[in-house]
Amino acid sequence: MAAGLFRLKCWLCALGAILRDLNEIEKNRVAKADRMRARGEQPYPARAQRTHTVADALLALEQALQAGAPVQDSGVPATLCGRLRSMRTMGKLTFAHMEDVSGRVQLLLRSDEVGADRLRQFDTDFDLGDFVQATGVLMRTKTGEFTLRCSAVVMLAKSVSPLPAAKEAEEDGHKVVYSAFANPEARYRERYADLAVNTEVREIFRVRAAVVRALRNFLDERGFLEVETPVLQPIYGGAAARPFVTHHNQLHQDLFLRISFELYLKRLLVGGLESVYEIGRDFRNEGVSLKHNPEFTQLEFYCAYADYAKVMEITEEMLAFVAQQVCGSTTLEYEGHKINLQPPWRRVALRTAVAEACGIDIAAHPTAAALAEAMRASGQAVDPAMPRGKLIESLLALHVEPLLIQPTFVHDFPRDISPLAKATPGDPHTVERFEAYIAGMELCNAFSELNDPQEQAQRFEEMQRDHPKGEEAHPMDEDYLRALQYGMPPCGGFGMGVDRLTMLLTGQRNIREVILFPHLRTRE
RNA sequence: GGGCCGCUAGCUCAAUUGGCAGAGCAGGGGCCUUUUAAGCCCUUGGUUACAGGUUCGAUUCCUGUGCGGCUCACCA
């Protein structure tokens, strides 16, 4: 029934899109396409040809000019393909800009070279946003602009809807954008239009790809094995977050979309793989914010015979490497701060950091009640239902986090909010866990992994018992315990939000700017 | 989920105390053989997000809905 309704709704939506009224501009462009067909010109031909990308053509021109070719007629032939981004008609002469993935080139169409009729057709039937193929000779105009003087121009794909009009100009060497397509909702909903007109958006996703590539290179070179583990899981775990639930029809089984990779990756260490990593999507059924999207890209790695101190070293090396690969430097600017990723990073115990920031020594308050009292005494509002670890976390988030601009490892976390981390020897309240902060933002979370099956079982039971109702308790995972019983080598584990790292390296404040299709409410 | 703010032409934005809904760009028709936010003349384009209410009259004031932005909560 529900599925039937859903299909009906989809069908209506699709129909609505197809029958959507075209506005005047769109009708006009459809008429242009019809006119082209009528004279035997294909508005959507199956094939294109190109001899150079724009960037390659520029190189070819430079070489010819260095070899002494005339500037305004290099003699270098080229056929280029791309999208029309501007047009200036001057009677018997038309200038246009065409853009491909590699750059932008000016087209020059002269009546005496393409023919008066063809120039007329170009002026009337070609629009901004159309994909075209232009053949001619490379040159520079008398103002020095890189130009293709065309002998022929062919439509490759007629654009019906006008792209959001933005004009770009150079002023004093700076790029100035007029009437930019800037409405965030429109940009995210129609990312295709956003990418088509906002070149800096395309650049963000090139950087993002480079970030992921650099992470892979770093880990591959150190002998880590890249693996893939289930997205659909019968029991979710490895983090404290609410999951998305889905259903397998034939098996009559509810399944969860994973909230982390942790428990599966550690099963692989039981299996002897020693050093593994996975880059993939996590799904958390929680609020969205500047730093949270319901699905996000996570990197997790696990390294046998390492502890959390070793993982700190790998972390700072890895991020310095990525920044060097992607930005060409280990220093970067973010929100007005100069940030230096060069190892070694500052290391500070959570206890010390909190004490320095707000004067409360968490070790002096070993129970939730005592700590809550101390926090109240210092004027902080406190939720009485919070366990001690949560209270400490709130101190961290409120007082410490905003201060951590330069890369900092905050280490030694409360045990009661870290059910998968190994206890600190001699300290019943603390585990060997750290988080790394940069620019006031939590970037990663790591620990010495708990590998004692008895203690792990006990921790799971504690989570079930001690968690307040409504809070997300870490579920009991019998199979994971069975795996630990076979023996897991001591190891360090690590998780990092790749989206957040990309934010840092691209200077973006909003996680949606680094996700191609961020989650938005559907519009009825 | 709470609070605050927003939604006007394809895009970016105006609209005085509540008084004919406008501009630039894009589009259409002209002129123009080195332009580059090209320029000049003419011109089309609006359910002011949606549904109600108050009013002689609502883009403007009120209520509700939808969507978005910021923020708080939540999300180690």
Side-chain angles (χ1 to χ4, degrees):
Chain A
M1 181 61 185
L5 277 176
F6 179 69
R7 270 197 296 274
L8 178 66
K9 196 172 152 190
C10 289
W11 182 77
L12 286 172
C13 288
L15 195 64
I18 290 164
L19 297 183
R20 179 174 58 89
D21 286 339
L22 297 178
N23 67 32
E24 197 192 328
I25 294 174
E26 292 165 336
K27 284 176 187 157
N28 199 273
R29 290 190 177 192
V30 170
K32 290 178 182 184
D34 290 341
R35 202 151 64 211
M36 294 175 77
R37 286 193 188 91
R39 64 169 178 256
E41 185 176 356
Q42 262 301 324
Y44 302 98
R47 268 161 282 282
Q49 291 184 332
R50 73 168 161 188
T51 58
H52 303 73
T53 63
V54 169
D56 288 342
L58 181 56
L59 283 176
L61 175 64
E62 288 305 317
Q63 282 176 2
L65 295 184
Q66 273 175 20
V71 172
Q72 295 201 38
D73 188 1
S74 70
V76 179
T79 297
L80 309 180
C81 295
R83 174 175 246 153
L84 289 176
R85 291 303 308 279
S86 73
M87 296 171 78
R88 294 173 296 283
T89 297
M90 308 188 62
K92 297 198 179 73
L93 182 69
T94 291
F95 289 98
H97 277 109
M98 188 181 80
E99 186 178 77
D100 75 2
V101 74
S102 71
R104 193 175 283 210
V105 62
Q106 180 170 256
L107 305 181
L108 168 55
L109 290 89
R110 291 168 45 149
S111 178
D112 56 5
E113 287 185 85
V114 299
D117 289 349
R118 188 55 179 158
L119 182 61
R120 176 76 187 168
Q121 288 168 356
F122 182 79
D123 290 342
T124 55
D125 293 344
F126 284 54
D127 289 292
L128 299 186
D130 290 349
F131 285 94
V132 301
Q133 170 182 311
T135 301
V137 177
L138 299 173
M139 60 171 284
R140 283 191 184 279
T141 60
K142 65 187 184 190
T143 54
E145 176 152 6
F146 173 44
T147 299
L148 179 68
R149 203 177 71 226
C150 300
S151 54
V153 59
V154 173
M155 179 66 73
L156 292 179
K158 183 74 196 152
S159 161
V160 173
S161 296
L163 286 172
K167 289 222 160 193
E168 289 167 20
E170 294 273 336
E171 276 181 20
D172 307 328
H174 293 286
K175 194 174 81 170
V176 184
V177 181
Y178 301 88
S179 302
F181 181 49
N183 180 288
E185 178 182 1
R187 286 183 47 234
Y188 301 146
R189 282 194 196 281
E190 299 195 12
R191 185 66 101 175
Y192 31 87
D194 186 30
L195 289 163
V197 301
N198 291 325
T199 50
E200 67 282 4
V201 174
R202 297 204 286 260
E203 187 52 31
I204 287 173
F205 293 100
R206 285 199 195 95
V207 170
R208 183 174 175 131
V211 168
V212 174
R213 201 179 315 127
L215 289 169
R216 283 209 164 92
N217 287 344
F218 180 90
L219 291 165
D220 289 345
E221 273 175 27
R222 277 156 187 77
F224 283 81
L225 181 71
E226 182 172 8
V227 297
E228 293 177 274
T229 61
V231 172
L232 296 175
Q233 304 182 347
I235 298 173
Y236 63 92
R242 279 172 297 185
F244 287 93
V245 185
T246 187
H247 185 78
H248 191 292
N249 289 340
Q250 204 200 343
L251 300 179
H252 304 296
Q253 182 185 15
D254 281 337
L255 292 165
F256 302 100
L257 274 63
R258 64 182 174 190
I259 60 171
S260 85
F261 323 151
E262 174 154 2
L263 300 182
Y264 281 94
L265 292 178
K266 286 195 284 193
R267 282 173 171 97
L268 300 179
L269 269 66
V270 171
L273 294 186
E274 288 203 3
S275 296
V276 297
Y277 76 95
E278 179 166 5
I279 295 174
R281 211 67 64 84
D282 271 343
F283 307 84
R284 296 187 183 176
N285 205 339
E286 307 279 359
V288 299
S289 78
L290 288 181
K291 295 187 174 73
H292 299 85
N293 194 62
E295 53 182 293
F296 62 99
T297 299
Q298 179 94 340
L299 162 67
E300 289 190 26
F301 69 71
Y302 293 82
C303 185
Y305 315 117
D307 65 353
Y308 78 144
K310 176 68 186 169
V311 174
M312 284 185 215
E313 290 171 18
I314 298 174
T315 302
E316 59 196 4
E317 251 182 77
M318 180 168 72
L319 293 192
F321 173 82
V322 170
Q324 185 66 47
Q325 292 291 300
V326 173
C327 308
S329 165
T330 53
T331 60
L332 54 100
E333 285 259 337
Y334 189 78
E335 305 221 308
H337 298 293
K338 251 210 157 56
I339 289 165
N340 183 5
L341 295 175
Q342 193 63 45
W345 298 357
R346 181 181 167 222
R347 286 153 168 77
V348 59
L350 175 57
R351 176 188 172 188
T352 311
V354 169
E356 282 172 0
C358 68
I360 295 175
D361 180 5
I362 55 177
H365 307 91
T367 66
L371 183 56
E373 185 48 44
M375 286 165 69
R376 260 192 298 273
S378 75
Q380 193 175 333
V382 177
D383 177 355
M386 272 194 184
R388 181 170 177 273
K390 286 269 184 195
L391 291 172
I392 293 170
E393 244 174 13
S394 74
L395 286 171
L396 174 64
L398 193 67
H399 300 289
V400 182
E401 224 178 280
L403 306 177
L404 303 179
I405 303 302
Q406 295 303 319
T408 305
F409 294 116
V410 177
H411 57 83
D412 296 347
F413 272 64
R415 178 186 130 127
D416 61 346
I417 52 167
S418 313
L420 301 163
K422 190 169 268 190
T424 303
D427 182 347
H429 298 297
T430 307
V431 293
E432 292 195 353
R433 167 178 167 186
F434 73 82
E435 292 182 346
Y437 289 84
I438 303 177
M441 181 159 66
E442 183 196 335
L443 201 65
C444 29
N445 180 26
F447 30 90
S448 303
E449 303 293 338
L450 178 54
N451 62 345
D452 174 344
Q454 309 281 333
E455 187 179 350
Q456 185 65 75
Q458 191 188 330
R459 297 277 200 98
F460 279 154
E461 278 159 16
E462 281 172 22
M463 295 303 287
Q464 301 299 309
R465 193 183 60 226
D466 297 341
H467 248 73
K469 282 226 164 24
E471 288 277 316
E472 204 52 46
H474 197 293
M476 171 65 73
D477 189 333
E478 305 274 1
D479 182 73
Y480 177 66
L481 291 175
R482 186 175 310 120
L484 285 190
Q485 283 178 205
Y486 281 110
M488 181 173 79
C491 61
F494 169 93
M496 175 178 70
V498 173
D499 314 270
R500 290 189 181 177
L501 177 60
T502 306
M503 288 165 69
L504 208 61
L505 296 176
T506 57
Q508 296 301 316
R509 183 169 171 264
N510 187 334
I511 196 168
R512 287 175 162 178
E513 292 293 346
V514 302
I515 294 174
L516 277 168
F517 298 99
H519 182 75
L520 294 174
R521 222 180 283 253
T522 50
R523 223 164 7 185
E524 286 298 313

